[in-house]
Amino acid sequence: MALGSNSLLLLTFSIVVIASISCVVFAATDDRKLLNSSEHVLNTLDSSPSHGDWQCIKDTNNPKVVNIAKFGLNAENSRSLDVELVFQSVLNGRFRVDNNGITYELTISAIDFDEESKCKVVVFENSKNNDIKLISFEFL
């Protein structure tokens, strides 16, 4: 009876250890996916970013940067009744990395009721849950 209990205890312990190792491996894989998506954006930006320092965006045509810019315009269109901005291009931009995510400051060319406009959007992307939020918008 004691031998059977020890075998059952050993089997249970082995299952717990294997399950714990699997959880650690899956968590590491998920973190790498997030890191890889951030690395893709950071590779289109300037040199190696330091925490809290603004860095120039090298490739303003990068799809991630363009999507951030379009998000900023769409958010402004949603909250303001007197604009109907249509994205044209990202003229220039910079970003800052902190512990919570990436803040983008982008100068955008847009069409507003058939008139070309320049505007600046500041957008924050939360690295923990990938939520994006318009921080500020202004016409230049």
Side-chain angles (χ1 to χ4, degrees):
M1 181 81 160
L3 184 58
S5 295
N6 286 342
S7 296
L8 184 59
L9 184 61
L10 181 61
L11 178 64
T12 304
F13 179 72
S14 298
I15 291 171
V16 169
V17 168
I18 291 170
S20 297
I21 290 171
S22 296
C23 288
V24 169
V25 169
F26 289 131
T29 302
D30 286 346
D31 286 345
R32 270 184 260 152
K33 285 179 188 171
L34 179 61
L35 180 63
N36 289 341
S37 70
S38 294
E39 282 176 351
H40 176 69
V41 174
L42 297 178
N43 286 339
T44 67
L45 309 172
D46 226 4
S47 60
S48 60
S50 301
H51 253 39
D53 293 340
W54 286 101
Q55 302 289 321
C56 291
I57 295 174
K58 287 191 268 185
D59 180 8
T60 57
N61 294 316
N62 176 282
K64 174 75 173 192
V65 174
V66 169
N67 286 337
I68 295 287
K70 286 180 178 179
F71 171 84
L73 289 182
N74 290 336
E76 181 62 18
N77 284 338
S78 297
R79 74 179 191 184
S80 180
L81 299 175
D82 59 341
V83 295
E84 193 174 310
L85 297 162
V86 177
F87 175 82
Q88 294 299 298
S89 65
V90 177
L91 301 174
N92 59 58
R94 60 187 190 157
F95 75 101
R96 177 175 59 200
V97 177
D98 66 26
N99 290 335
N100 297 315
I102 303 173
T103 303
Y104 298 88
E105 182 182 89
L106 305 173
T107 302
I108 301 169
S109 173
I111 302 293
D112 182 23
F113 296 111
D114 296 328
E115 186 176 315
E116 188 171 339
S117 299
K118 282 186 188 177
C119 49
K120 180 170 75 170
V121 297
V122 178
V123 175
F124 176 73
E125 181 180 32
N126 187 317
S127 62
K128 292 177 178 51
N129 58 17
N130 292 328
D131 280 347
I132 305 172
K133 178 180 178 183
L134 177 63
I135 303 299
S136 68
F137 176 92
E138 69 177 288
F139 284 103
L140 302 175

